[in-house]
Amino acid sequence: EDQVTQSPEALRLQEGESSSLNCSYTVSGLRGLFWYRQDPGKGPEFLFTLYSAGEEKEKERLKATLTKKESFLHITAPKPEDSATYLCAVQAEENTGNQFYFGTGTSLTVIP
Amino acid sequence: NAGVTQTPKFQVLKTGQSMTLQCAQDMNHNSMYWYRQDPGMGLRLIYYSASEGTTDKGEVPNGYNVSRLNKREFSLRLESAAPSQTSVYFCASSVLVSAGELFFGEGSRLTVL
């Protein structure tokens, strides 16, 4: 069964303390892997799309990487404003009626 | 640009009541979606509309109906609300159903007593 697993569920970092979030997936064919940021009481906000193993994307303090079985969201020298829940989603090649499979997210708290 | 707009933001219903969640997008996207988000679970697809005039069931369609009113608007209806439908509902849109990222609204928090 296709699924997406994110770890850890929650992460507390000191400001400036770099770390990585993990997203592992099992789909029969990957069309794309997406990272979103979700602030409390808000809808998910798109961050990155990755399409093939070895691909990397960067935005400010965030860098997303992709292998054949997982993706990492690296956070370098985080700031308190990076606190949010980060969601990973995969889009499978086959049309199964569920175009995107979402993980349950990693809740990141950055302490000043 | 407003992006994806959902109404209402909050609603409390009694079991058996009906209601409609409204969604509109101004990005000229072809595809629109309704998801629900529950604690400890990923976003789950209720229904989607690949293009104007079409709708299809997602992972958890039971108890819901949808209408793609035009290219901009996609509504979700609960005919007889149940406590299990207490959730946060998100509308989303994308350029095409087969590719590209989703753009989400701010969500509608529904409580069924």
Side-chain angles (χ1 to χ4, degrees):
Chain A
E1 180 179 311
D2 296 339
Q3 63 179 13
V4 177
T5 304
Q6 291 188 246
S7 62
E9 287 188 14
L11 182 62
R12 289 172 62 90
L13 298 174
Q14 292 288 331
E15 184 172 2
E17 179 187 2
S18 301
S19 187
S20 297
L21 313 181
N22 177 262
C23 171
S24 63
Y25 61 91
T26 55
V27 294
S28 53
L30 180 70
R31 178 169 289 158
L33 185 140
F34 303 79
W35 282 99
Y36 291 85
R37 170 190 171 126
Q38 186 173 22
D39 293 300
K42 302 289 187 182
E45 177 185 351
F46 170 73
L47 293 173
F48 303 109
T49 308
L50 302 166
Y51 293 106
S52 57
E55 190 174 0
E56 298 182 353
K57 294 273 180 74
E58 284 189 69
K59 180 180 180 180
E60 295 182 356
R61 296 175 292 283
L62 301 177
K63 178 179 167 181
T65 61
L66 181 65
T67 71
K68 287 188 177 180
K69 293 296 182 186
E70 59 189 355
S71 176
F72 292 93
L73 185 65
H74 307 278
I75 304 176
T76 302
K79 298 182 177 182
E81 52 263 42
D82 295 322
S83 296
T85 296
Y86 291 85
L87 302 175
C88 169
V90 298
Q91 192 175 34
E93 281 185 340
E94 295 196 4
N95 183 349
T96 64
N98 185 3
Q99 306 301 313
F100 295 83
Y101 298 93
F102 280 85
T104 53
T106 293
S107 176
L108 173 66
T109 303
V110 181
I111 304 162
Chain B
N1 276 348
V4 179
T5 304
Q6 294 180 231
T7 56
K9 293 192 186 307
F10 301 94
Q11 184 72 50
V12 179
L13 292 176
K14 293 181 180 178
T15 297
Q17 288 185 319
S18 63
M19 76 158 298
T20 300
L21 300 177
Q22 307 283 357
C23 175
Q25 53 92 10
D26 63 3
M27 295 175 283
N28 200 35
H29 285 171
N30 291 296
S31 304
M32 297 185 73
Y33 311 79
W34 278 105
Y35 284 89
R36 61 179 289 174
Q37 187 175 43
D38 301 290
M41 306 189 75
L43 285 154
R44 292 182 294 168
L45 183 65
I46 304 170
Y47 271 93
Y48 69 101
S49 171
S51 59
E52 186 178 355
T54 70
T55 60
D56 284 288
K57 295 178 181 179
E59 183 183 0
V60 288
N62 290 346
Y64 305 95
N65 286 301
V66 291
S67 296
R68 183 74 182 266
L69 304 171
N70 48 55
K71 190 172 185 178
R72 292 186 63 249
E73 299 173 288
F74 189 38
S75 64
L76 178 72
R77 182 161 179 84
L78 286 70
E79 290 291 352
S80 179
S84 60
Q85 294 178 304
T86 294
S87 187
V88 181
Y89 292 86
F90 289 99
C91 178
S93 69
S94 65
V95 174
L96 293 172
V97 73
S98 58
E101 62 270 22
L102 299 174
F103 293 83
F104 287 86
E106 299 238 310
S108 299
R109 183 174 294 275
L110 174 65
T111 301
V112 183
L113 303 176

